[in-house]
Amino acid sequence: MHSTNLLLEEPIRMASILEPSKTSFFPAMTKIVGTLGPKSRSVDTISACLKAGMSVARFDFSWGDAAYHQETLENLKLAIKSTKKLCAVSDPIPIVSNRFLQISLVGGPDSSVLCLQVMLDTVGPELQVVNKSETTLSLEENGTVVLTPHHGQEASSSLLPINFSGLAKAVTPGATIFVGQYLFTGSETTSVWLEVSEVKGDDVVCIIKNTATLAGSLFTLHCSQIHIDLPTLSDEDKDVIRKWGAPNKIDFLSLSYTRHAEDVRQAREFLSKLGDLSQTQIFAKIENVEGLNHFDEILAEADGIILSRGNLGIDLPPEKVFLFQKSALHKCNMAGKPAVVTRVVDSMTDNLRPTRAEATDVANAVLDGSDAILLGAETLRGLYPVETISTVGRICAEAEKVFNQDLYYKRTVKYVGEPMTHLESIASSAVRAAIKVKASVIICFTSSGRAARLISKYRPSMPVLSVVIPRLKTNQLRWSFTGAFEARQSLIVRGLFPMLADPRHPAESTSATNESVLKVALDHGKASGVIKSHDRVVVCQKMGDSSVVKIIELED
């Protein structure tokens, strides 16, 4: 196991635990993904979510149509404009009055312009129960219910129409099926656990294992450890990506129910044909045992991983869930690819405060190496979306304070081994220097974002300001600058906070220009409180053909 990152080498004075936490420019290094929906789509609520610490907006297309989500996105843009917390996600790189640097330091309370990444979550081969009349369905323990593929029938307490005609061929008596808006957790009555008793033609007859009430028009149906013969990227998903994702230049595609590396390759091939989405990163959602069995191959192909613990927690025995989480996060960390954990504070969907187990779960996700926490129903339909984001952020910040960064750094260096690649050597050296001199921040100049992500791989305890230097890109008679995608996509990586340089000073800038950009970055850092007088700052940048790591000690 690779999880002893809790720093308890020096005794903690127990009374100090109750002391108020010091305010910080960056509330937490761990990022928060918020799913926007009925309870979190107004301009006022989105504005509050941004202020509370949400850095990624997720749009879940397993419900709602494109027009609904477009309206939500427009509200997001208005919230960005009113709070001045984020820059519009679909805008081109802005030219600003500051000569050298687009001041877009992400995550701080006083940033003038910020970037936000948008994540589109596909439906994939998700099975659903269709309740057209939205009648409340009461299912009683030890009763029976029939799952049928005949959509024309009305849902009732004894009959549940589903959107898949092949279920009868996929299951056998004794198979476990879960149905609900938020799937079965064992502590709620809004989802139901079924056991297949027999198959009759296209129908599946099930015994009800717990009393439950199903309310709404659609319910997710999950078959535990059973292969469903449906494409990972459906025709409906492709249509949404083509008509909604491409015009809005989504930063991430969350590929639901990823089961093989080929799923990622096919999705990437599809995105490459959509022009503006050729740079969109693909995050593979691991949701079942099939994806777990092919995890290493999927990780090698994907840009990041989402551990979808709701569905996966059903497929796995309870005693194995923690082992998967720790192992998967370790593999992601060593690969230098961001990992996102879901389903951490389910109870906050209806309550203002998480349970003790949930609060500990959030902290353990941070200590295990998670880059981000994804909030689903908690913000989509939960009663307290803003408070949930704020609470999760505070827990993350406290966990980060006791993360044993020195031990983690040594383990990572040992894992990478020798000889290191040039870029890996520079990144690890920058972090080592920052540890030794107790730097307050690392500033990394990058054009692709890769150098900054590699620095984050070594989990420095201080924030990394990723100064993205645009490159001039020509396409036939058109020209444009890169940089906006690269800046936004670092927002899901732990500890990275992007700053977008003025495109009039591209990556091929002279040494003098780079020094000027650095000065502006330092001045902005000091003005915003990230950097103080006499602080030490580690800078990682390219000088001609050489990569340089240098240490700066600031004067008054």
Short mmCIF file of all heavy atoms in Angstrom, two decimals, residues 224-248:
data_model
loop_
_atom_site.label_atom_id
_atom_site.label_comp_id
_atom_site.label_asym_id
_atom_site.label_seq_id
_atom_site.Cartn_x
_atom_site.Cartn_y
_atom_site.Cartn_z
N SER A 224 -24.96 -5.52 -11.48
CA SER A 224 -23.67 -5.75 -10.85
C SER A 224 -22.88 -6.84 -11.57
O SER A 224 -23.37 -7.97 -11.75
CB SER A 224 -23.88 -6.14 -9.38
OG SER A 224 -22.64 -6.32 -8.73
N GLN A 225 -21.65 -6.48 -12.01
CA GLN A 225 -20.68 -7.39 -12.62
C GLN A 225 -21.25 -8.14 -13.84
O GLN A 225 -20.98 -9.32 -14.03
CB GLN A 225 -20.17 -8.38 -11.57
CG GLN A 225 -19.43 -7.71 -10.43
CD GLN A 225 -18.62 -8.68 -9.60
OE1 GLN A 225 -18.20 -9.71 -10.07
NE2 GLN A 225 -18.39 -8.32 -8.34
N ILE A 226 -22.01 -7.42 -14.65
CA ILE A 226 -22.60 -8.00 -15.86
C ILE A 226 -22.23 -7.14 -17.06
O ILE A 226 -22.34 -5.91 -17.01
CB ILE A 226 -24.14 -8.12 -15.74
CG1 ILE A 226 -24.50 -9.16 -14.66
CG2 ILE A 226 -24.77 -8.49 -17.07
CD1 ILE A 226 -25.96 -9.23 -14.35
N HIS A 227 -21.76 -7.77 -18.13
CA HIS A 227 -21.39 -7.02 -19.34
C HIS A 227 -22.66 -6.60 -20.10
O HIS A 227 -23.54 -7.42 -20.37
CB HIS A 227 -20.51 -7.88 -20.25
CG HIS A 227 -20.25 -7.24 -21.59
ND1 HIS A 227 -19.37 -6.19 -21.74
CD2 HIS A 227 -20.78 -7.49 -22.82
CE1 HIS A 227 -19.35 -5.82 -23.01
NE2 HIS A 227 -20.19 -6.60 -23.68
N ILE A 228 -22.73 -5.32 -20.42
CA ILE A 228 -23.84 -4.79 -21.20
C ILE A 228 -23.32 -4.48 -22.61
O ILE A 228 -22.42 -3.66 -22.78
CB ILE A 228 -24.42 -3.51 -20.55
CG1 ILE A 228 -24.92 -3.82 -19.14
CG2 ILE A 228 -25.53 -2.92 -21.41
CD1 ILE A 228 -26.03 -4.86 -19.07
N ASP A 229 -23.91 -5.13 -23.58
CA ASP A 229 -23.41 -5.03 -24.96
C ASP A 229 -23.97 -3.77 -25.64
O ASP A 229 -24.83 -3.84 -26.52
CB ASP A 229 -23.79 -6.28 -25.74
CG ASP A 229 -23.10 -6.33 -27.10
OD1 ASP A 229 -22.11 -5.61 -27.28
OD2 ASP A 229 -23.57 -7.10 -27.97
N LEU A 230 -23.45 -2.63 -25.21
CA LEU A 230 -23.80 -1.34 -25.80
C LEU A 230 -22.52 -0.54 -25.99
O LEU A 230 -21.57 -0.70 -25.22
CB LEU A 230 -24.76 -0.57 -24.89
CG LEU A 230 -26.21 -1.08 -24.78
CD1 LEU A 230 -26.96 -0.32 -23.70
CD2 LEU A 230 -26.93 -0.96 -26.12
N PRO A 231 -22.46 0.36 -27.00
CA PRO A 231 -21.25 1.15 -27.22
C PRO A 231 -21.00 2.13 -26.09
O PRO A 231 -21.95 2.67 -25.50
CB PRO A 231 -21.53 1.88 -28.54
CG PRO A 231 -23.02 1.92 -28.64
CD PRO A 231 -23.51 0.65 -28.00
N THR A 232 -19.73 2.37 -25.78
CA THR A 232 -19.39 3.32 -24.72
C THR A 232 -19.76 4.74 -25.12
O THR A 232 -20.24 5.52 -24.29
CB THR A 232 -17.88 3.23 -24.40
OG1 THR A 232 -17.59 1.90 -23.97
CG2 THR A 232 -17.48 4.22 -23.32
N LEU A 233 -19.52 5.10 -26.36
CA LEU A 233 -19.92 6.41 -26.88
C LEU A 233 -21.08 6.17 -27.85
O LEU A 233 -20.89 5.74 -28.98
CB LEU A 233 -18.75 7.09 -27.58
CG LEU A 233 -18.88 8.59 -27.87
CD1 LEU A 233 -18.98 9.38 -26.57
CD2 LEU A 233 -17.71 9.10 -28.70
N SER A 234 -22.28 6.45 -27.38
CA SER A 234 -23.47 6.15 -28.16
C SER A 234 -23.69 7.20 -29.25
O SER A 234 -23.06 8.27 -29.26
CB SER A 234 -24.70 6.10 -27.25
OG SER A 234 -24.98 7.40 -26.73
N ASP A 235 -24.61 6.91 -30.16
CA ASP A 235 -24.96 7.88 -31.20
C ASP A 235 -25.54 9.15 -30.57
O ASP A 235 -25.30 10.26 -31.07
CB ASP A 235 -25.98 7.27 -32.17
CG ASP A 235 -25.38 6.17 -33.04
OD1 ASP A 235 -24.13 6.17 -33.20
OD2 ASP A 235 -26.14 5.33 -33.56
N GLU A 236 -26.30 8.99 -29.50
CA GLU A 236 -26.86 10.15 -28.80
C GLU A 236 -25.75 11.00 -28.20
O GLU A 236 -25.79 12.24 -28.25
CB GLU A 236 -27.83 9.71 -27.71
CG GLU A 236 -29.13 9.09 -28.22
CD GLU A 236 -28.96 7.65 -28.67
OE1 GLU A 236 -27.88 7.06 -28.46
OE2 GLU A 236 -29.93 7.09 -29.22
N ASP A 237 -24.74 10.34 -27.63
CA ASP A 237 -23.60 11.07 -27.07
C ASP A 237 -22.88 11.86 -28.16
O ASP A 237 -22.52 13.03 -27.98
CB ASP A 237 -22.60 10.10 -26.42
CG ASP A 237 -23.13 9.49 -25.13
OD1 ASP A 237 -23.89 10.17 -24.43
OD2 ASP A 237 -22.77 8.34 -24.83
N LYS A 238 -22.66 11.21 -29.29
CA LYS A 238 -21.96 11.88 -30.40
C LYS A 238 -22.74 13.09 -30.89
O LYS A 238 -22.15 14.13 -31.22
CB LYS A 238 -21.74 10.89 -31.54
CG LYS A 238 -20.74 9.79 -31.24
CD LYS A 238 -20.60 8.81 -32.40
CE LYS A 238 -19.60 7.70 -32.08
NZ LYS A 238 -19.49 6.73 -33.21
N ASP A 239 -24.05 12.96 -30.92
CA ASP A 239 -24.89 14.07 -31.37
C ASP A 239 -24.78 15.26 -30.42
O ASP A 239 -24.68 16.41 -30.85
CB ASP A 239 -26.34 13.59 -31.48
CG ASP A 239 -27.22 14.59 -32.21
OD1 ASP A 239 -26.87 14.97 -33.35
OD2 ASP A 239 -28.25 15.00 -31.65
N VAL A 240 -24.79 14.97 -29.11
CA VAL A 240 -24.66 16.03 -28.10
C VAL A 240 -23.29 16.70 -28.20
O VAL A 240 -23.17 17.93 -28.15
CB VAL A 240 -24.87 15.46 -26.69
CG1 VAL A 240 -24.41 16.45 -25.63
CG2 VAL A 240 -26.34 15.11 -26.48
N ILE A 241 -22.24 15.90 -28.35
CA ILE A 241 -20.89 16.46 -28.46
C ILE A 241 -20.78 17.33 -29.70
O ILE A 241 -20.21 18.44 -29.66
CB ILE A 241 -19.84 15.33 -28.50
CG1 ILE A 241 -19.83 14.56 -27.18
CG2 ILE A 241 -18.45 15.89 -28.79
CD1 ILE A 241 -19.05 13.27 -27.22
N ARG A 242 -21.35 16.85 -30.79
CA ARG A 242 -21.26 17.59 -32.06
C ARG A 242 -22.05 18.90 -32.00
O ARG A 242 -21.57 19.94 -32.45
CB ARG A 242 -21.79 16.70 -33.18
CG ARG A 242 -21.54 17.23 -34.58
CD ARG A 242 -22.17 16.32 -35.63
NE ARG A 242 -21.56 14.98 -35.64
CZ ARG A 242 -22.17 13.87 -35.22
NH1 ARG A 242 -23.42 13.94 -34.77
NH2 ARG A 242 -21.57 12.70 -35.27
N LYS A 243 -23.26 18.85 -31.42
CA LYS A 243 -24.14 20.02 -31.46
C LYS A 243 -23.97 20.95 -30.25
O LYS A 243 -24.29 22.14 -30.35
CB LYS A 243 -25.60 19.56 -31.55
CG LYS A 243 -25.92 18.85 -32.85
CD LYS A 243 -27.37 18.40 -32.88
CE LYS A 243 -27.71 17.69 -34.18
NZ LYS A 243 -29.12 17.20 -34.20
N TRP A 244 -23.51 20.42 -29.11
CA TRP A 244 -23.37 21.24 -27.90
C TRP A 244 -21.91 21.39 -27.48
O TRP A 244 -21.46 22.48 -27.16
CB TRP A 244 -24.18 20.63 -26.76
CG TRP A 244 -24.32 21.54 -25.57
CD1 TRP A 244 -25.32 22.45 -25.35
CD2 TRP A 244 -23.45 21.61 -24.43
NE1 TRP A 244 -25.11 23.09 -24.14
CE2 TRP A 244 -23.97 22.59 -23.56
CE3 TRP A 244 -22.28 20.96 -24.06
CZ2 TRP A 244 -23.37 22.93 -22.35
CZ3 TRP A 244 -21.67 21.29 -22.85
CH2 TRP A 244 -22.21 22.26 -22.01
N GLY A 245 -21.20 20.28 -27.48
CA GLY A 245 -19.82 20.31 -27.01
C GLY A 245 -18.91 21.13 -27.91
O GLY A 245 -18.10 21.95 -27.43
N ALA A 246 -19.00 20.92 -29.22
CA ALA A 246 -18.11 21.62 -30.14
C ALA A 246 -18.33 23.13 -30.14
O ALA A 246 -17.36 23.89 -30.03
CB ALA A 246 -18.27 21.05 -31.55
N PRO A 247 -19.58 23.62 -30.26
CA PRO A 247 -19.77 25.07 -30.23
C PRO A 247 -19.31 25.72 -28.93
O PRO A 247 -18.89 26.88 -28.93
CB PRO A 247 -21.30 25.23 -30.40
CG PRO A 247 -21.75 23.98 -31.05
CD PRO A 247 -20.85 22.91 -30.52
N ASN A 248 -19.38 24.97 -27.82
CA ASN A 248 -18.98 25.52 -26.53
C ASN A 248 -17.55 25.18 -26.15
O ASN A 248 -17.10 25.49 -25.04
CB ASN A 248 -19.94 25.02 -25.44
CG ASN A 248 -21.32 25.63 -25.57
OD1 ASN A 248 -21.48 26.84 -25.55
ND2 ASN A 248 -22.33 24.79 -25.73
#
